[in-house]
Amino acid sequence: MSPRKRPLVPVSSRRKAADDHFPFNFLPVECQLHVLSFLNEVDKCSCALVCSSWSRLVRSWKLWRVADYSRRGVFHLGQEGLLVSNREFERWKAWVHHYTHHLISRRASLLTLKASFDLGDRCNKWCELLSRLLENVHCRDLSYLDLNWTFTLLEPLDLRVHSSSSSHQDSITKMDQVTSFQELLTKLTHSCPRISKMRLHFDWSDESVSLLTQFQQLRVLELKYFWVFKGVTPTTLQTLIKSLPNLKSLTLQILVPLRNLGISYTLESQSLEFLDVSPSRGLVFSCLRLPALRELRAKKIVRGITLDRRTRLRIQSRWPCLYCVLREGTPKLQALNNERLLPTWREDGYGELSAILEQSCYCVQHLDSWLW
């Protein structure tokens, strides 16, 4: 059987097929940049290899609005503090520096910055790297900051190769981390005053609180704990929240130390609409003045500590029931722990909310056992 021959296509048809391609190069430059802005960083670099005109487009600062040090191929594994071989760590470290140089050379205009570096690392000097980035790119319009300054995304398996006389980890102290974090936060207050969404670990020192209150455009704030033994005074928490007039959403992870057992907190804000304290441990509210609050998430965390009845009752007697606190201070509350509340929940008593309160309230009525 003879092989099938390809049908001949007239030249006019071939020209017509060529004319059917979308004339991307004839679009206005702004439209071309808008189309390319939907690509990720790898695809943008691939587009730069197509032709000289596309290469010039990709070099535009308008296409580099995100600095994401946690996204890179096989390294983006969704794990934190991943141990890798020395060779893999050096490859990743080289990529970090090349990526920083790339953003600086493009004169990037950043809207988002995501990074996870141990700022107390004296060997790799991650704090200096981030400071150099902020100094050499346009970050006045930065609106989203996601910073984990307590550990590096990847760590070498054999730490001895990075130290001469002492261990690498021995040179990293909590004070080094806090000092470097405050230096970077100070730089952010001057270069990025328009940050509206922030997610970071927080040490709750007076200096850090003072710096954080300078971000007056903050609307979404998520603060994770820095050190399990670092307590947060009620006055410090109240000062921070009252100093942020535009705050709409707040997520707190506060681990109350055992020495502060029995302390309760007051929270006041005219703008706060969403409050999530479910990651916290031992955080008890004695008063809430949140007239705009619509949703609250709270969870009672088990600690595994057994106290005698007299001590337990003496501590619990200091705490009001969460239902009473919510009824008096949250007139617009509509949801509690992802459960929709009826419009009459204030008049019906807490019987209908008993199941939810058992999971979130520390008072005597809703705490059957003291495995706290």
Side-chain angles (χ1 to χ4, degrees):
M1 185 174 181
S2 60
R4 183 177 299 177
K5 297 182 179 180
R6 288 184 178 181
L8 297 177
V9 179
V11 177
S12 58
S13 300
R14 279 181 281 177
R15 290 176 179 171
K16 183 178 180 181
D19 294 339
D20 288 340
H21 292 293
F22 184 77
F24 181 80
N25 291 335
F26 291 98
L27 289 175
V29 175
E30 292 298 327
C31 293
Q32 296 181 23
L33 292 173
H34 181 69
V35 173
L36 294 176
S37 66
F38 292 97
L39 301 178
N40 58 39
E41 295 170 350
V42 176
D43 292 337
K44 290 175 186 176
C45 294
S46 299
C47 288
L49 303 176
V50 173
C51 60
S52 59
S53 62
W54 283 28
S55 179
R56 288 191 297 270
L57 282 174
V58 173
R59 288 194 182 99
S60 172
W61 59 268
K62 296 181 180 180
L63 291 182
W64 304 100
R65 313 304 296 269
V66 177
D68 189 354
Y69 287 93
S70 63
R71 179 181 61 190
R72 187 209 170 192
V74 296
F75 292 113
H76 190 212
L77 303 177
Q79 301 185 31
E80 298 180 342
L82 183 65
L83 288 176
V84 296
S85 65
N86 298 320
R87 182 178 180 182
E88 288 297 317
F89 176 78
E90 291 300 330
R91 284 179 54 202
W92 177 78
K93 181 179 176 181
W95 171 83
V96 169
H97 285 275
H98 290 164
Y99 182 49
T100 304
H101 175 74
H102 172 80
L103 293 172
I104 293 175
S105 63
R106 296 293 182 269
R107 300 296 296 175
S109 179
L110 297 182
L111 297 178
T112 300
L113 173 58
K114 298 180 180 181
S116 179
F117 297 118
D118 187 345
L119 298 187
D121 190 338
R122 299 174 180 175
C123 177
N124 295 300
K125 300 179 180 180
W126 301 120
C127 186
E128 294 182 10
L129 181 138
L130 291 177
S131 297
R132 182 163 60 90
L133 174 70
L134 295 175
E135 291 172 357
N136 293 278
V137 300
H138 180 74
C139 54
R140 194 74 181 174
D141 296 328
L142 187 72
S143 60
Y144 178 37
L145 174 66
D146 185 351
L147 176 63
N148 188 337
W149 50 275
T150 61
F151 66 85
T152 307
L153 185 65
L154 298 181
E155 290 287 354
L157 187 60
D158 184 6
L159 299 176
R160 291 174 297 177
V161 299
H162 295 283
S163 60
S164 54
S165 59
S166 61
S167 173
H168 175 58
Q169 288 295 336
D170 291 340
S171 65
I172 301 176
T173 64
K174 296 294 182 182
M175 268 325 288
D176 291 332
Q177 290 179 320
V178 172
T179 302
S180 298
F181 167 65
Q182 291 175 349
E183 292 176 359
L184 186 63
L185 197 60
T186 301
K187 189 177 295 293
L188 287 167
T189 58
H190 298 297
S191 57
C192 314
R194 301 174 183 172
I195 295 179
S196 60
K197 183 178 181 181
M198 189 178 292
R199 182 173 180 262
L200 45 75
H201 290 69
F202 202 59
D203 66 302
W204 292 101
S205 64
D206 293 339
E207 177 67 19
S208 297
V209 171
S210 176
L211 290 171
L212 190 57
T213 56
Q214 297 183 35
F215 295 94
Q216 292 292 291
Q217 302 299 320
L218 271 177
R219 296 175 60 87
V220 179
L221 179 61
E222 180 178 350
L223 299 179
K224 298 184 177 182
Y225 81 94
F226 162 65
W227 197 19
V228 67
F229 300 109
K230 177 65 176 178
V232 182
T233 64
T235 304
T236 301
L237 179 60
Q238 177 70 340
T239 300
L240 175 62
I241 304 307
K242 290 185 67 174
S243 302
L244 301 174
N246 297 305
L247 192 63
K248 299 292 184 182
S249 174
L250 176 63
T251 301
L252 293 175
Q253 185 183 28
I254 297 177
L255 308 185
V256 179
L258 291 179
R259 65 176 182 272
N260 296 335
L261 199 63
I263 292 180
S264 57
Y265 294 79
T266 298
L267 208 59
E268 181 177 353
S269 173
Q270 298 297 318
S271 60
L272 196 63
E273 298 179 358
F274 173 81
L275 176 61
D276 185 2
V277 294
S278 58
S280 299
R281 185 177 68 188
L283 184 63
V284 180
F285 292 110
S286 59
C287 181
L288 292 176
R289 299 188 186 95
L290 306 173
L293 189 69
R294 297 181 180 275
E295 182 176 356
L296 171 66
R297 296 178 186 176
K299 185 178 181 181
K300 184 167 55 184
I301 304 296
V302 175
R303 274 187 167 178
I305 301 171
T306 305
L307 299 178
D308 60 87
R309 178 178 175 81
R310 179 181 299 179
T311 304
R312 174 173 64 87
L313 292 177
R314 186 171 67 250
I315 295 175
Q316 287 179 269
S317 62
R318 307 176 186 177
W319 299 332
C321 177
L322 180 62
Y323 170 78
C324 299
V325 174
L326 295 177
R327 184 182 58 185
E328 297 174 3
T330 59
K332 294 185 178 180
L333 188 66
Q334 299 177 357
L336 177 60
N337 289 352
N338 297 318
E339 295 288 340
R340 189 76 175 179
L341 300 179
L342 295 176
T344 58
W345 68 272
R346 291 175 182 80
E347 294 78 14
D348 296 342
Y350 62 74
E352 184 178 344
L353 304 177
S354 58
I356 303 177
L357 294 173
E358 286 289 344
Q359 303 173 0
S360 53
C361 183
Y362 287 94
C363 75
V364 177
Q365 295 94 322
H366 302 107
L367 193 59
D368 296 333
S369 61
W370 191 260
L371 289 174
W372 193 65

